[in-house]
């Protein structure tokens, strides 16, 4: 191994001159949450959700963020999407620092960056027809007569045009995720941020949705930021990955490189712990998974 | 037992325990044989007569540990209680001591102190360890695990899987392990049942089923799960459509409306081909060996 595992921009593949400004640049981002005070005499405890995250995500990159529950993945995404502000540090989207911008000046961000969440049911208004759900980002930009665009988007995500006049509950989980992808693409964003978009789906549907994302990202030349707890999904989708634990990025680089030769003990434990069909059939048991996970955790 | 959500895995588990909802009426038979050789016919036996079997002959671990734990009771007392109810220990004192021993076996640090904790004071992984201790406390003949590690982080999952398998092996118990994750099944099981639409569509040895699937659904499921194997265009293999709800299944072969190999024959229910319920499949047009596409296939 020659490449140092610095959780910094230096480890990233260099971008072409035309896209010298990264899609996302984070510098020393921290986010502290204050918990409810438990006693009148002690100060409210502080949860340090992010502890100095620095990252560059190049234009057109497929960037994965992997880590276990509570490691700060979703907090980081919310900050990148301008839904939350960092306690300290800076967040640049296409070269513009959004970390101190007031809500009313974030309009450009809504055009450039859109989100897809894990639970499509929770993020789709059950009382709205699909056509209105998909058109919502356009309406908030003051656009009218959006039906042609809605039909175009439905086709792009593999749904029939009749879907426009139905309600979210009339669709399966995978179809609902297609609807939320269509809504995210409506304002023609350059950056698509997906937070565990296939974690709630059955495997047969997971494959369909991953293929759809793959195709759309390629066809529309999007920058994709993809958060997952599952490194094998990230490995399939993303060319680069950041590994997070306890509010820190401990390793960042090319996905395949990290998969083959992880530098950090935590990354190695993640890889060792994940059961894989081929190796399991070759005889790797639960005892091996556990032993390798513990050994990786203690390695340095 | 593998299969996507809604295929009937949990209902199968609950019918073994005799825990189906009142609104559901089971047909057929379920026989449970305890470690002492005593048989229980689950279907048709009155609720009160099943109590002795549950928690002793058959125990169950669910995805969410809090479904099995009492939030207002110390965890050591809960482990002791399952032994006291079934009188598998002579007295209170022995039960308490044995509970601490079990908590130690499932890897809780400082088990004597951990026994005094309430569930909310433990992490999700630690709670599931307590549930494993409870499920193994009476040395059951069968441990049913319904997605026991789905809610856990992957590094915790590895340790809990190991714990479950070791506990089952030490007792010479049987295990029915339910999951949608094929790699987990291949890591912990010897035999596999594939469910779809409320039926077992294929059964057999794990190696055999995963490397040479015969049912078209099994083959599709393996293809869609395998993120290391892609089509020539780099995309994943998929199954078209999605799992229909229980009321909307087609007659004949339940997989018919999603299967690219379906013909008119598939409108009638395919026969079970094989040596018995342990090994076989039900498909009119099974995967032939020469175009078999299991793991490592092309
Ligand atoms: N109490 C019930 N009443 C009616 N239908 C039910 C009930 N419980 C489950 N079902 C239906 O039975 C089918 C199988 O469910 P389940 O065993 O929970 O599947 P799995 O565990 O494989 O996800 C599903 O279609 C489900 O909606
Ligand atoms: S019986 Fe027919 S429809 Fe069913 S899986 Fe086999 S080929 Fe497909
Ligand atoms: Mg279930």
């Amino acid at each position: 191994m020659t490449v140092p595992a610095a959780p910094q921009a230096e480890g990233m593949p260099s971008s072409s001159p035309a896209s010298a400004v990264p899609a996302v640049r984070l510098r020393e981002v921290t986010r502290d949450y204050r918990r409810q005070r438990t006693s009148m005499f002690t100060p409210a405890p502080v949860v340090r959700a992010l502890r100095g995250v620095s990252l560059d995500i190049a234009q057109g990159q497929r960037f994965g963020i992997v880590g276990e529950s509570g490691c700060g993945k979703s907090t980081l995404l919310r900050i990148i999407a301008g839904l939350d502000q960092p306690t300290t540090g800076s967040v640049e989207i296409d070269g513009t620092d959004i970390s101190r911008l007031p809500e009313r000046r974030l309009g450009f961000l809504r055009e450039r960056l859109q989100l897809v969440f894990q639970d499509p049911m929770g993020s789709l208004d059950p009382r709205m027809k699909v056509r209105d759900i998909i058109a919502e980002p356009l309406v908030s930009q003051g656009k009218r007569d959006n039906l042609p665009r809605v039909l175009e988007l439905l086709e792009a995500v593999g749904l029939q045009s009749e879907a426009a006049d139905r309600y979210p509950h009339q669709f399966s989980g995978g179809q609902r995720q297609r609807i939320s992808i269509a809504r995210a693409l409506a304002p023609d964003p350059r950056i698509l941020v997906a937070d565990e978009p296939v974690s709630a789906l059955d495997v047969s549907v997971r494959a369909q949705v991953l293929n759809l994302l793959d195709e759309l990202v390629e066809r529309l030349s999007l920058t994709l930021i993809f958060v997952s707890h599952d490194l094998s999904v990230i490995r399939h989708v993303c060319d680069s990955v950041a590994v997070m634990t306890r509010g820190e990025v401990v390793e960042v680089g090319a996905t395949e490189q990290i998969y083959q030769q992880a530098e950090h003990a935590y990354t190695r434990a993640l890889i060792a712990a994940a059961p894989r069909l081929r190796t399991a059939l070759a005889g790797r048991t639960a005892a091996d998974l556990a032993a390798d996970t513990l050994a990786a955790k203690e390695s340095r | 037992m593998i299969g996507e959500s809604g295929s009937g895995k949990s209902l199968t588990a609950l019918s073994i325990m005799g825990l189906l909802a009142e609104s559901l009426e089971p047909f057929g038979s379920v026989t449970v044989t305890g470690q002492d050789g005593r048989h229980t016919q689950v279907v048709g036996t009155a609720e009160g007569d099943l109590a002795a079997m549950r928690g002793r002959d058959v125990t169950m671990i669910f995805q969410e540990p809090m479904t099995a734990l009492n939030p207002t009771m110390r965890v050591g007392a809960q482990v002791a209680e399952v032994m006291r109810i079934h009188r598998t220990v002579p007295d209170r004192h022995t039960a308490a001591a044995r509970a601490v021993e079990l908590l130690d076996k499932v890897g809780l640090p400082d088990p004597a102190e951990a026994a005094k904790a309430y569930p909310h004071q433990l992490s999700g992984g630690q709670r599931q360890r307590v549930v494993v201790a409870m499920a193994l406390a009476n040395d059951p003949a069968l441990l049913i695990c319904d997605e026991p590690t789905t809610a856990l982080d992957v590094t915790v999952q590895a340790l809990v899987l190991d714990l479950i398998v070791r506990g089952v092996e030490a007792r010479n118990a049987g295990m029915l392990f339910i999951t949608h994750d094929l790699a987990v099944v291949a890591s912990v099981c010897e035999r596999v049942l594939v469910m779809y639409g409320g039926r077992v569509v294929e059964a057999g040895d794990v190696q055999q089923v995963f490397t040479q699937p015969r049912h078209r659904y099994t083959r599709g499921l393996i293809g869609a799960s395998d993120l290391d194997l892609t089509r020539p265009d780099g995309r994943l293999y998929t199954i078209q459509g999605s799992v229909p709800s229980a009321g909307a299944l087609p007659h004949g072969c339940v997989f018919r409306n999603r299967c690219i190999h379906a013909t008119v024959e598939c409108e009638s229910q395919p026969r079970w081909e094989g040596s018995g319920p342990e090994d076989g499949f039900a498909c009119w047009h099974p995967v032939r060996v020469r175009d078999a596409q299991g793991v490592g296939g092309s």
Side-chain angles (χ1 to χ4, degrees):
Chain A
M1 266 310 289
T2 48
V3 183
Q8 295 284 329
E10 287 81 58
M12 307 297 301
S14 60
S15 43
S16 62
S19 55
V21 179
V24 176
R25 165 166 285 181
L26 304 177
R27 284 296 175 271
E28 291 301 321
V29 170
T30 69
R31 177 67 169 96
D32 297 340
Y33 289 112
R34 221 159 271 283
R35 281 246 180 91
Q36 202 97 65
R37 272 172 78 169
T38 46
S39 143
M40 279 170 63
F41 306 106
T42 53
V46 171
V47 179
R48 301 185 61 202
L50 297 176
R51 306 164 179 249
V53 172
S54 299
L55 276 181
D56 277 7
I57 301 175
Q59 306 282 352
Q61 208 166 29
R62 293 164 174 233
F63 193 92
I65 301 174
V66 69
E68 296 184 311
S69 54
C71 73
K73 305 184 294 284
S74 294
T75 303
L76 188 65
L77 276 198
R78 290 174 53 76
I79 286 174
I80 291 174
L83 301 173
D84 189 10
Q85 294 205 333
T87 306
T88 61
S90 69
V91 181
E92 288 174 26
I93 305 296
D94 290 338
T96 305
D97 189 347
I98 63 160
S99 53
R100 301 284 169 271
L101 284 186
E103 177 67 35
R104 67 189 151 77
R105 298 201 34 210
L106 287 175
F108 87 98
L109 191 60
R110 305 277 165 264
E111 278 171 43
R112 241 171 265 191
L113 181 150
Q114 284 286 321
L115 289 142
V116 175
F117 296 100
Q118 168 171 354
D119 171 20
M121 209 46 197
S123 59
L124 301 178
D125 188 334
R127 294 156 306 180
M128 278 167 77
K129 283 186 176 172
V130 166
R131 61 195 294 168
D132 299 320
I133 290 174
I134 295 177
E136 198 183 14
L138 301 172
V139 172
S140 64
Q141 285 175 11
K143 297 198 176 125
R144 290 161 171 280
D145 303 324
N146 295 313
L147 190 58
R149 176 74 178 140
V150 167
L151 295 176
E152 180 184 78
L153 287 160
L154 281 173
E155 191 186 343
V157 299
L159 290 173
Q160 308 271 318
S161 52
E162 293 85 79
D165 288 310
R166 293 160 68 191
Y167 293 90
H169 73 264
Q170 296 175 286
F171 295 87
S172 68
Q175 288 171 326
R176 288 198 286 261
Q177 200 54 294
R178 289 176 192 268
I179 295 167
S180 40
I181 292 170
R183 177 181 58 182
L185 295 178
D188 203 9
R190 303 317 307 145
I191 305 171
L192 186 64
V193 176
D195 192 359
E196 303 267 11
V198 295
S199 303
L201 303 178
D202 273 315
V203 280
S204 67
V205 178
R206 177 183 76 171
Q208 295 168 8
V209 171
L210 288 176
N211 283 353
L212 174 67
L213 278 172
D214 197 23
E215 180 205 315
L216 291 169
V217 166
E218 186 176 297
R219 178 146 60 87
L220 305 171
S221 313
L222 301 175
T223 303
L224 176 69
I225 305 176
F226 189 105
V227 166
S228 178
H229 66 279
D230 188 339
L231 196 52
S232 60
V233 171
I234 296 254
R235 186 186 184 201
H236 174 73
V237 176
C238 301
D239 44 49
S240 299
V241 63
V243 182
M244 286 189 75
T245 180
R246 295 163 196 253
E248 281 179 296
V249 170
V250 294
E251 187 155 4
V252 59
T255 314
E256 210 45 42
Q257 166 86 25
I258 286 184
Y259 206 83
Q260 300 299 340
Q261 280 184 298
E263 282 282 319
H264 198 276
Y266 176 73
T267 314
R268 287 203 286 261
L270 269 189
I271 295 169
R276 292 172 64 194
L277 201 42
R278 270 184 192 73
T279 49
L281 290 175
R284 192 158 179 253
T285 62
D288 300 327
L289 289 175
D292 295 350
T293 304
L294 291 176
K297 270 191 177 163
E298 276 145 29
S299 66
R300 35 181 57 245
Chain B
M1 176 179 286
I2 56 173
E4 297 177 281
S5 56
S7 57
K9 305 182 299 297
S10 295
L11 288 185
T12 305
L14 293 175
S15 52
I16 297 172
M17 296 285 282
L19 284 175
L20 285 178
E22 296 259 328
S23 59
L24 299 178
E25 189 190 350
F27 296 91
S29 77
V30 174
T31 311
V32 167
T33 307
Q35 294 271 23
D36 56 5
R38 193 163 31 170
H39 303 296
T40 306
Q41 294 298 335
V42 181
V43 179
T45 297
E47 175 63 25
D49 298 331
L50 291 176
M53 174 199 85
R54 277 186 221 132
R56 190 195 59 199
D57 298 335
V58 188
T59 57
M60 192 157 169
I61 305 176
F62 298 91
Q63 175 171 332
E64 179 40 63
M66 285 314 286
T67 49
L69 294 174
N70 178 345
T72 63
M73 195 172 165
R74 298 179 197 274
V75 297
Q78 299 191 48
V79 179
E81 189 182 43
V82 298
M83 292 181 278
R84 301 257 298 147
I85 288 172
H86 291 280
R87 298 201 185 82
T88 52
V89 284
D91 55 61
R92 227 188 162 76
H93 185 74
T94 321
R98 178 114 168 83
V100 173
E101 208 177 290
L102 281 160
L103 292 176
D104 185 29
K105 282 258 166 57
V106 298
L108 282 186
D110 197 352
E113 275 306 302
K116 295 182 201 150
Y118 289 97
H120 76 265
Q121 295 172 305
L122 304 175
S123 70
Q126 288 171 332
R127 279 180 218 148
Q128 199 63 304
R129 285 170 191 267
V130 173
V131 175
V132 173
M134 282 168 72
L136 295 174
N138 292 328
D139 300 333
L142 175 67
L143 175 65
I144 303 178
C145 304
D146 191 353
E147 307 262 7
T149 57
T150 305
L152 302 179
D153 281 328
V154 64
T155 53
V156 180
Q157 164 175 279
L159 306 180
V160 172
L161 287 177
D162 179 38
L163 194 69
I164 291 173
V165 172
R166 274 192 288 124
V168 166
E169 282 178 349
R171 288 163 179 79
N172 221 350
M175 173 171 76
L176 173 63
F177 196 102
I178 296 175
T179 175
H180 61 275
D181 187 333
L182 276 56
V184 169
V185 165
S187 304
V188 302
C189 299
E190 293 149 356
R191 290 177 48 227
V192 61
L193 302 173
V194 185
M195 282 200 81
Y196 187 81
R199 294 186 193 150
V200 173
V201 297
E202 179 157 7
D205 177 74
V206 166
Q207 287 285 339
Q208 142 86 41
V209 171
F210 285 171
T211 56
Q212 289 183 313
R214 295 158 295 183
H215 197 283
R216 295 286 172 183
Y217 174 65
T218 313
R219 176 178 169 166
L221 194 60
I222 293 169
S225 303
D226 192 346
L227 299 176
D228 296 336
L229 182 72
T230 50
R231 304 186 309 214
D233 66 358
R235 305 251 148 77
L236 300 168
Y237 288 92
T238 59
I239 303 174
Q240 60 188 1
S242 56
V243 184
S245 59
L249 291 164
H251 66 86
C253 173
V254 277
F255 186 53
R256 182 161 67 86
N257 60 337
R258 302 178 70 193
C259 181
I260 53 172
H261 301 275
T263 62
V264 285
E265 258 180 308
C266 306
E267 289 170 25
S268 54
Q269 194 173 327
R271 268 197 324 272
W272 184 259
E273 306 279 347
S275 50
E278 308 220 322
D279 182 17
F281 61 95
C283 174
W284 288 116
H285 310 294
V287 185
R288 284 162 303 172
V289 173
R290 98 181 140 71
D291 59 15
Q293 185 185 30
V295 178
S298 57

